[in-house]
Amino acid sequence: MTGKKNGIGLLHRDGHTLRAVNSAEPLSAVRREHDLLGERDVPAQVYWGIHTLRALENFPISGVSVSRYPDLIKALAWVKKAATQANLELGIVPATKAQAILAACERLVRDADSPGLRPLCAQFVVDVIQGGAGTSTHMNANEVIANLALESLGHARGEYQHLHPIEDVNASQSTNDVYPTALRVALCLGIERLLAAMALLREAFEAKALEFSQVLKIGRTQLQDAVPMTLGQEFRSYAVMLGEDESRLREALALVIEVNLGATAIGTGINADPDYAGRAVSLLARYSGLPLVPASDYVEATQDTGAFVQLSGVLKRVACKLSKVCNDLRLLSSGPQAGFRDIQLPERAAGSSIMPGKVNPVIPEVVNQIAFEVIGNDMTVTMASEAGQLQLNAFEPIIAWSLFKSIDHLEAGCQTLARHCVSGIRANHELLAARVRQSAGLATALNPYIGYENATRIARQAVAGDKTVAELVLEQNLLTPAQLDEVLRPERLTRPVRKHRFEPPA
């Protein structure tokens, strides 16, 4: 017999029986429910029902339940609220039932928005990964909302003759329009938080770019010394990269806001009133505060997952950029004696159980690992999207889980990198200045004034000997001291400038 945590305590599986252990109620406290496969006993104290029970038995996959994602639960509640209000206005669901369902949906939204345990969200116990194109998640929502509504009407949970999870809560709907619509709404909420986290990190890099704007250093290409730049320019490039990806993410968001609510089973709108889809989408946009629009072709929208592939690709792009930046931070801070040592990262933890004094770049390292995961998640989304067949993609649950993980972990990674690393970075001023003075890369700045051949010879001599480029130029009478000072001014080394015409030294 095995146990599994969920929203009602510990579920024990014994053969084909799933029993709830709760100190407040005896094990015998059950209610009998039925579906097309037969009858089963459901723990009396839970808000979910027989369809959820079967999903618990069928899909012990990840150990992560839908309750882990309150955004999805809130989105499902909004969808059900919009559908019910539309059905009420069209005379499809009686007012008494509709008002009870609407109140139940509002309770779910409040629960999802509240900090802490979220007891109603905890009733969403099905595994995130499931067969059936999201039907188990959808039925979990129908049952929870129905039993909340029954409770408000003074009936016991499971007395579906008074208000039914499918007949009433699911009127005019199908998993195939409810689940993808709720998924898109939930993704919009997550993307907005990710954008805020990316902006926080971008602003941290912008602040460091300003702080380091006068810190001259040697840039590198292919890990070899190149030409001078400022440390501020280096950090500003990271801010610009993040800003570009914020724009790409907003572009991807514009595809996600197109929903197929009202499509019902395959996009034909069967079992729905002709006016239902327009009303339901308009109401959902109002409840969620999102600029949702109905798909232009519901048959296409019900089977197409291209928006998810596009979003996942942008998340992968963000991950690649973040990982590259973290690679740079680890290289630039490598040392503390035998590495690059351009910068110092904040010390966050002891780095070794055997090497005294060692401190590792643990914050960039964890963000690197997030990036690796996101890149893998993108492959999962790609394969799941490609595997769709005919009028429906059955694999949206794994798409949902992959995208939720990518968004949540990127958000946490951006916040962690900004607060625990970038904001505390320091420059090694003296070392950077000395390297610029000693660098053969300064010869590149002399090309327009002493010619490529002379500059090449000077650079080679500087690398091979113990004299600097400046010393060799003066020694060989290629420029006067005043001319050399003018050419090597920091502002001339780090940005485009008009060439001065110098007379050769006498």
Side-chain angles (χ1 to χ4, degrees):
M1 183 164 61
T2 60
K4 182 176 178 182
K5 288 286 187 182
N6 65 37
I8 60 160
L10 187 66
L11 285 182
H12 282 276
R13 194 181 310 280
D14 186 3
H16 294 291
T17 302
L18 198 67
R19 299 185 291 116
V21 177
N22 188 304
S23 59
E25 302 218 16
L27 291 178
S28 58
V30 296
R31 64 178 189 261
R32 177 60 59 98
E33 293 193 13
H34 72 273
D35 63 3
L36 66 89
L37 299 182
E39 294 186 339
R40 293 294 302 276
D41 286 335
V42 176
Q45 71 270 32
V46 301
Y47 285 102
W48 45 263
I50 188 170
H51 295 92
T52 302
L53 175 66
R54 294 197 190 279
L56 282 166
E57 295 175 336
N58 289 335
F59 309 122
I61 308 301
S62 70
V64 177
S65 68
V66 172
S67 63
R68 168 66 178 78
Y69 297 102
D71 281 350
L72 181 57
I73 296 169
K74 179 162 63 174
L76 284 163
W78 276 333
V79 170
K80 292 295 176 180
K81 182 180 177 182
T84 300
Q85 182 63 37
N87 283 326
L88 173 62
E89 294 173 4
L90 294 168
I92 295 168
V93 175
T96 301
K97 290 182 176 181
Q99 293 301 334
I101 294 169
L102 293 172
C105 293
E106 290 165 3
R107 284 185 63 187
L108 269 180
V109 171
R110 289 195 299 272
D111 189 77
D113 280 336
S114 66
L117 296 177
R118 298 190 179 101
L120 296 183
C121 286
Q123 296 293 315
F124 285 74
V125 294
V126 299
D127 200 286
V128 180
I129 302 177
Q130 57 194 248
T135 299
S136 294
T137 297
H138 183 207
M139 292 304 296
N140 195 164
N142 284 335
E143 291 171 341
V144 169
I145 291 169
N147 283 305
L148 285 169
L150 283 169
E151 194 172 62
S152 70
L153 292 172
H155 301 294
R157 299 170 201 177
E159 293 186 347
Y160 298 138
Q161 68 272 26
H162 302 292
L163 189 151
H164 199 276
I166 296 176
E167 300 288 351
D168 300 310
V169 179
N170 196 54
S172 307
Q173 300 154 68
S174 163
T175 293
N176 302 345
D177 63 341
V178 167
Y179 185 83
T181 295
L183 173 54
R184 287 167 181 259
V185 171
L187 289 173
C188 287
L189 300 176
I191 291 167
E192 289 297 337
R193 288 196 300 272
L194 174 55
L195 284 168
M198 291 174 66
L200 177 72
L201 180 57
R202 171 176 48 79
E203 290 163 2
F205 278 119
E206 288 171 346
K208 286 296 168 181
L210 182 62
E211 179 183 341
F212 299 147
S213 61
Q214 301 302 313
V215 181
L216 204 60
K217 61 163 285 181
I218 293 297
R220 300 177 179 90
T221 58
Q222 296 161 275
L223 297 182
Q224 306 299 304
D225 295 350
V227 297
M229 66 184 304
T230 68
L231 189 59
Q233 287 174 317
E234 192 163 34
F235 273 70
R236 186 165 301 281
S237 72
Y238 302 146
V240 171
M241 281 196 287
L242 280 163
E244 289 177 347
D245 280 0
E246 289 174 63
S247 297
R248 301 294 81 76
L249 198 52
R250 289 191 177 91
E251 291 170 359
L253 187 60
L255 299 179
V256 177
I257 62 174
E258 183 180 281
V259 300
N260 74 329
L261 186 60
T264 66
I266 64 170
T268 61
I270 190 171
N271 291 351
D273 185 280
D275 294 332
Y276 166 78
R279 286 176 184 252
V281 174
S282 178
L283 288 163
L284 180 58
R286 185 201 308 172
Y287 297 151
S288 66
L290 297 170
L292 304 173
V293 295
S296 58
D297 186 299
Y298 272 13
V299 173
E300 180 274 337
T302 303
Q303 63 188 277
D304 181 42
T305 54
F308 301 142
V309 175
Q310 177 77 7
L311 172 60
S312 183
V314 173
L315 296 174
K316 180 176 74 171
R317 171 182 165 137
V318 173
C320 289
K321 300 280 193 72
L322 282 176
S323 193
K324 189 272 180 191
V325 169
C326 288
N327 292 341
D328 286 1
L329 294 178
R330 290 189 295 115
L331 273 174
L332 293 172
S333 64
S334 59
Q337 294 172 306
F340 281 20
R341 294 189 295 154
D342 287 17
I343 60 175
Q344 295 176 346
L345 305 185
E347 296 182 338
R348 299 297 304 179
S352 175
S353 62
I354 189 173
M355 292 172 279
K358 191 172 188 289
V359 178
N360 295 326
V362 293
I363 302 302
E365 286 172 353
V366 76
V367 176
N368 279 128
Q369 292 173 79
I370 291 170
F372 306 154
E373 180 198 29
V374 171
I375 293 166
N377 290 341
D378 178 65
M379 179 56 71
T380 299
V381 172
T382 300
M383 296 307 297
S385 176
E386 182 275 336
Q389 297 169 314
L390 303 177
Q391 278 68 61
L392 183 67
N393 188 304
F395 308 114
E396 287 190 8
I398 196 68
I399 291 175
W401 195 42
S402 299
L403 291 174
F404 288 151
K405 287 191 297 180
S406 291
I407 290 171
D408 287 353
H409 294 175
L410 284 172
E411 177 193 356
C414 287
Q415 292 175 342
T416 298
L417 189 60
R419 292 168 176 159
H420 299 321
C421 181
V422 176
S423 62
I425 290 175
R426 293 178 294 157
N428 287 327
H429 295 268
E430 294 182 4
L431 178 62
L432 293 175
R435 283 177 175 165
V436 171
R437 290 193 299 269
Q438 297 163 5
S439 174
L442 289 177
T444 302
L446 303 175
N447 279 350
Y449 308 103
I450 65 175
Y452 181 79
E453 293 295 333
N454 282 333
T456 299
R457 186 183 71 254
I458 291 294
R460 298 285 287 178
Q461 291 172 350
V463 171
D466 57 3
K467 293 184 178 180
T468 67
V469 166
E471 290 170 339
L472 290 168
V473 167
L474 294 175
E475 183 180 275
Q476 296 177 30
N477 202 32
L478 296 172
L479 290 173
T480 67
Q483 291 171 339
L484 185 63
D485 287 343
E486 175 65 21
V487 171
L488 296 184
R489 281 193 296 127
E491 58 268 28
R492 296 185 66 84
L493 293 175
T494 58
R495 60 181 63 92
V497 293
R498 296 189 183 281
K499 177 185 174 182
H500 283 198
R501 295 186 179 276
F502 294 135
E503 294 295 329

